[in-house]
Amino acid sequence: MINRHDIINRLRELSQVDNNIQLFTTIDINKNKNDKISMIKELLNEKYKREGIIINDEIFRGSYGWSGESGHMIASPDEGIECGCKNKGCLMSYCSGAMIVKIIINRINNNEHTVMIELANGKENISAVHIKQAYEMEDKMAIEAVEQMAKYLGVWVYNLYSTLNINCFVFGGGLVNFGDTLFKRVRE
């Protein structure tokens, strides 16, 4: 007969608690076992900018199990809007989709004009889609937002490359829809 302790011990052997990005990275490793390159898996969407670090087909978890939170590295101490991590000036507060929308809304609240209000049928509906549309219409605020995202994404990618000598960056999520509008500038 199997007792409660046997089941608990067996579940501990089969499971692991991870942050969300490491779980996504685990799925990618298992799907791509034949891919031998060391890489960083970047999920860049409307809310999050995080990565999982894969070294020799294994997730690098760091000393305490939470590696891959480099979006919260400080780029500009005590400046900008507060991020979800409660810091000001982290990379995420300058280049994630959700945070760039907050920056735009703050500017609108300071009486700056943008076509994004009309495109979204109100400032409360503005999203990255409207930023891209406004950028294509040569809206000044949208252009500045894309330039800001590109600048800080470029700094982030360069710093990760310099630190870890990563040979492949894989981007995914909502901001990828900006295509060369954003990523050409990141490469520069």
Side-chain angles (χ1 to χ4, degrees), residues 14-70:
L14 296 174
S15 63
Q16 179 169 342
V17 176
D18 261 330
N19 64 16
N20 61 345
I21 194 62
Q22 290 178 353
L23 292 173
F24 285 119
T25 305
T26 300
I27 292 166
D28 286 345
I29 289 172
N30 290 331
K31 286 195 306 192
N32 300 307
K33 277 291 189 189
N34 294 328
D35 188 0
K36 298 297 182 193
I37 62 174
S38 296
M39 64 181 247
I40 190 163
K41 173 66 180 176
E42 164 59 15
L43 295 179
L44 178 62
N45 61 35
E46 298 303 308
K47 294 183 181 178
Y48 304 105
K49 194 187 83 45
R50 301 177 186 200
E51 73 289 337
I53 302 168
I54 303 168
I55 301 172
N56 297 326
D57 292 331
E58 298 289 329
I59 295 177
F60 175 73
R61 289 185 168 80
S63 297
Y64 302 103
W66 297 103
S67 71
E69 295 289 342
S70 67

Side-chain angles (χ1 to χ4, degrees), residues 17 29 35 55 60 64 75 89 92 105 113 130 144-145 153 172 180:
V17 176
I29 289 172
D35 188 0
I55 301 172
F60 175 73
Y64 302 103
M92 198 161 160
I105 290 173
H113 179 73
H130 304 109
E144 291 171 359
L153 280 172
D180 278 343

Side-chain angles (χ1 to χ4, degrees), residues 176-188:
V176 171
N177 295 322
F178 277 82
D180 278 343
T181 300
L182 177 62
F183 290 98
K184 180 180 178 189
R185 287 174 169 71
V186 171
R187 286 188 291 273
E188 292 170 358

